[in-house]
Amino acid sequence: MQTVHVTNRTDEGRSIQEPHMPSPRRRDFINQLPTEILINVFRNSLDPARPGRDLSRLRGVCNLWKSIVESTPSLWNYISADDGIQYIRDAITKTGEVSLDLVYRWYGDTTMTVEDFLTAVMDKSKYWRSVDIAFWRTPSTYPGLQSMPCRTLEALELWHALESSNLPEAFSLFGGMSAPPTLKKLTLGRVPVRLESLELVELEALTLVSLGPQSMLEIIRILKTSPRLVTLVLEDIVGLQPPQTGAAPAIQLQHLETLKLQLPVSTTEFLLSTLYTEKVDRLTVDPECSSFLPSMLFTPSVTHWVPVLRRMVQKAGRIEIGFEDSDLCFLKLGKLDYLFQMEFVDRTQFGRDILDWHLANLGEAVAHLPARLSYHNVCPHFGDIRLFSQLPEVTELSISHIWRSEQVPSKLFKALGSPTRSKPPEWLLPNLLILHYDLNNGCHKSLLAMLKRRYGSRGNAEPSLDELAPPPSLREIRFYGGTGKTWAPTKDEALLREVQLLSKGAQIYWVDELHVLDD
């Protein structure tokens, strides 16, 4: 150890023991790295939410680091509103001619407005590469975006965080001129932008959500002139209806991989009948209608999608069909998603009809898949369950309820424990292997009664079951503490013991933990 005398005036007379320092060569090893590598180290150390704070710390390490940071424009190109207006003005003077990425988040630490943020960087608009703005207060204007051509812009995202029925007056981007030829990604959420003047030839991703009134002819024009689209999302666009006259034009989008449509049924059907693609890997359809027939969506005009859907479901491991609350029905086959909000029709029959269309048109690709059937805040009865006792084979059943729900599944358990009245009688869901059961249901007696009738020993107590063999035993029964809940209820050893005995050896899980029955 060596003694080091501290010369700071506040530490006069003190000495501290310090270990031998390494040689200057070892101490400054990182500073001997090539400058390009050191710059990359700096860049990868920056917090994307507030890069300015980290740059300030790097500058304070030593004169060499300060010199490198101050003289490297590319370290200043990511500009976040969270760093404050003074930092932004300082950063703009250091960026030179490098491409800029601008980020404004209403939920961040910033107190400035969108207008102040864009004004501070407007002089460098010709170097903007990406602009990502999410706000809760509607800006009165968008400096630079409305008036400048922004010729190097590659990605633009404008997103209003709050839903509002009163959209402000529509405005044009880029001074009413064509979109930048470099623009590849455009996202507009609840922002009333006029689309008429935009030419989006190089566009790869388009997301339009909750926009003001838009013409279908304008949407068609954009799609026809954007052949490179990989992602297309259209949700809740006011007034978007199929053209009144004329045949649907064929729009070839051969690079499209992701498609999401949340629009009226007629509009969804029109777009599906219009779009032609072979590479779609993810399709989400969420029609805005509380009452319609499957035939209104799956018309002969959309049959060119059958080969695409058949290819998609070949990657699916199972079918998921579920019912939630009083009106929701969903169907999922791998990356093929349907969500229906049905208020005035029998949604169980509707779900069966949607599934039957896929069985009829996609054939073996769907028929051989196991299925998971789920109910959340729903109390299905015998007829509901019976609709899904045929193809596909339901091997998993999930039952969950919020703790306040009065929809306990007593009727469901009664149905599973009762054979059909057909000749010969049959069990519902005869291939059931896995049961997910929400402990909030408070219906444990019905569960135990079902297990006893369905899988228990035959005897004179219930002669009606003597001639009907039990179905294959359950492989797993999984108890958990409620949908969306993080707490684990107190473990009920007596319940688990009785369930395990009645289920003839099924593996019992208590909140994802395998329960081992003590002998």
Side-chain angles (χ1 to χ4, degrees):
M1 303 289 285
Q2 65 180 9
T3 301
V4 178
H5 292 279
V6 180
T7 58
N8 186 289
R9 186 176 302 174
T10 59
D11 293 320
E12 283 184 1
R14 287 200 305 113
S15 63
I16 59 176
Q17 296 295 315
E18 181 173 298
H20 288 288
M21 296 297 294
S23 67
R25 179 178 176 82
R26 288 186 59 193
R27 183 179 63 229
D28 296 334
F29 173 75
I30 190 171
N31 289 346
Q32 296 176 28
L33 291 172
T35 302
E36 294 79 6
I37 294 179
L38 200 54
I39 290 173
N40 283 330
V41 171
F42 291 169
R43 183 179 293 111
N44 290 323
S45 71
L46 299 180
D47 179 357
R50 292 192 63 177
R53 178 172 52 189
D54 291 335
L55 287 174
S56 178
R57 292 168 177 168
L58 291 172
R59 284 187 290 178
V61 171
C62 64
N63 289 333
L64 175 62
W65 286 23
K66 179 178 180 180
S67 174
I68 293 174
V69 170
E70 294 279 357
S71 61
T72 306
S74 63
L75 290 176
W76 300 83
N77 73 323
Y78 189 94
I79 299 178
S80 169
D82 288 350
D83 279 318
I85 191 68
Q86 189 55 52
Y87 165 80
I88 293 172
R89 290 170 179 164
D90 184 35
I92 284 295
T93 66
K94 295 179 170 62
T95 56
E97 298 181 356
V98 299
S99 299
L100 303 182
D101 299 311
L102 313 178
V103 178
Y104 179 101
R105 290 279 186 267
W106 67 273
Y107 49 81
D109 296 332
T110 185
T111 57
M112 75 179 76
T113 64
V114 172
E115 296 92 327
D116 289 342
F117 176 67
L118 289 176
T119 298
V121 296
M122 187 169 62
D123 288 346
K124 290 293 186 75
S125 63
K126 65 180 180 179
Y127 300 115
W128 291 358
R129 176 170 57 193
S130 68
V131 177
D132 186 351
I133 296 178
F135 53 87
W136 64 269
R137 184 191 65 81
T138 303
S140 58
T141 184
Y142 297 83
L145 287 173
Q146 286 183 253
S147 57
M148 302 294 187
C150 305
R151 289 301 182 190
T152 62
L153 193 63
E154 297 179 11
L156 173 61
E157 181 169 348
L158 301 177
W159 197 276
H160 197 309
L162 301 180
E163 294 188 19
S164 174
S165 57
N166 300 317
L167 290 173
E169 184 177 351
F171 62 91
S172 298
L173 293 170
F174 316 121
M177 296 179 284
S178 298
T182 53
L183 191 63
K184 291 181 173 59
K185 179 181 179 181
L186 176 62
T187 299
L188 302 174
R190 306 187 187 97
V191 179
V193 171
R194 294 192 187 97
L195 303 177
E196 290 85 350
S197 61
L198 297 180
E199 297 289 341
L200 304 166
V201 178
E202 299 297 324
L203 201 65
E204 296 178 1
L206 175 63
T207 299
L208 304 177
V209 177
S210 299
L211 297 190
Q214 301 292 336
S215 162
M216 177 61 81
L217 295 178
E218 195 58 41
I219 298 296
I220 290 175
R221 180 192 67 80
I222 291 176
L223 297 182
K224 292 186 71 172
T225 56
S226 306
R228 300 179 184 274
L229 273 179
V230 176
T231 300
L232 174 61
V233 177
L234 301 175
E235 297 183 25
D236 190 26
I237 302 177
V238 176
L240 194 60
Q241 297 292 334
Q244 296 297 319
T245 59
I251 300 176
Q252 300 288 339
L253 295 177
Q254 295 307 318
H255 299 281
L256 193 66
E257 296 179 2
T258 299
L259 175 62
K260 182 178 182 181
L261 300 175
Q262 185 178 328
L263 300 165
V265 177
S266 59
T267 306
T268 301
E269 189 276 339
F270 171 79
L271 286 171
L272 289 175
S273 66
T274 299
L275 298 177
Y276 286 76
T277 180
E278 298 178 357
K279 293 185 178 181
V280 165
D281 185 57
R282 179 178 293 277
L283 173 63
T284 303
V285 177
D286 182 3
E288 296 175 347
C289 185
S290 58
S291 177
F292 73 95
L293 298 175
S295 58
M296 297 168 61
L297 178 61
F298 299 103
T299 66
S301 298
V302 304
T303 53
H304 60 277
W305 277 87
V306 169
V308 179
L309 300 183
R310 186 179 294 121
R311 174 184 54 77
M312 290 179 62
V313 301
Q314 286 176 348
K315 301 178 182 179
R318 67 182 179 187
I319 300 170
E320 296 182 47
I321 185 164
F323 303 90
E324 297 184 5
D325 302 312
S326 61
D327 56 0
L328 292 181
C329 168
F330 68 84
L331 175 65
K332 181 179 177 66
L333 298 95
K335 295 183 180 179
L336 174 59
D337 290 297
Y338 299 99
L339 180 64
F340 305 101
Q341 188 166 344
M342 313 303 299
E343 296 181 9
F344 306 113
V345 298
D346 182 343
R347 58 182 176 155
T348 302
Q349 184 62 57
F350 181 89
R352 179 73 245 187
D353 292 343
I354 293 292
L355 186 56
D356 285 343
W357 185 91
H358 289 79
L359 284 167
N361 288 275
L362 307 186
E364 299 299 317
V366 175
H368 288 168
L369 289 175
R372 171 173 172 152
L373 181 62
S374 64
Y375 295 95
H376 176 63
N377 290 344
V378 178
C379 188
H381 52 70
F382 189 94
D384 296 330
I385 301 296
R386 189 170 188 177
L387 278 176
F388 295 99
S389 279
Q390 304 303 318
L391 283 177
E393 292 186 354
V394 175
T395 59
E396 241 178 294
L397 177 64
S398 177
I399 310 159
S400 62
H401 295 74
I402 59 174
W403 66 275
R404 294 181 179 179
S405 174
E406 298 177 358
Q407 298 282 0
V408 295
S410 55
K411 293 181 180 179
L412 182 147
F413 286 137
K414 184 177 180 180
L416 291 178
S418 304
T420 65
R421 295 180 180 179
S422 59
K423 299 295 182 180
E426 299 175 339
W427 293 106
L428 297 183
L429 308 184
N431 301 295
L432 188 62
L433 297 176
I434 302 174
L435 175 65
H436 300 259
Y437 179 67
D438 179 1
L439 292 162
N440 285 327
N441 287 318
C443 204
H444 305 341
K445 289 184 179 179
S446 297
L447 168 66
L448 296 174
M450 180 274 290
L451 293 174
K452 183 176 181 180
R453 286 174 57 84
R454 189 175 172 100
Y455 304 106
S457 301
R458 298 296 179 254
N460 295 327
E462 294 196 52
S464 62
L465 300 180
D466 287 346
E467 298 179 1
L468 180 62
S473 299
L474 290 171
R475 190 176 68 207
E476 295 177 10
I477 300 179
R478 291 180 172 267
F479 295 99
Y480 55 98
T483 298
K485 295 188 179 295
T486 57
W487 53 266
T490 304
K491 198 170 186 177
D492 190 334
E493 295 283 353
L495 172 65
L496 295 184
R497 177 178 291 273
E498 194 164 2
V499 166
Q500 195 156 37
L501 291 174
L502 290 173
S503 62
K504 303 296 183 181
Q507 289 187 317
I508 310 300
Y509 290 83
W510 182 275
V511 194
D512 290 331
E513 178 185 346
L514 180 63
H515 175 74
V516 179
L517 182 65
D518 295 328
D519 295 330

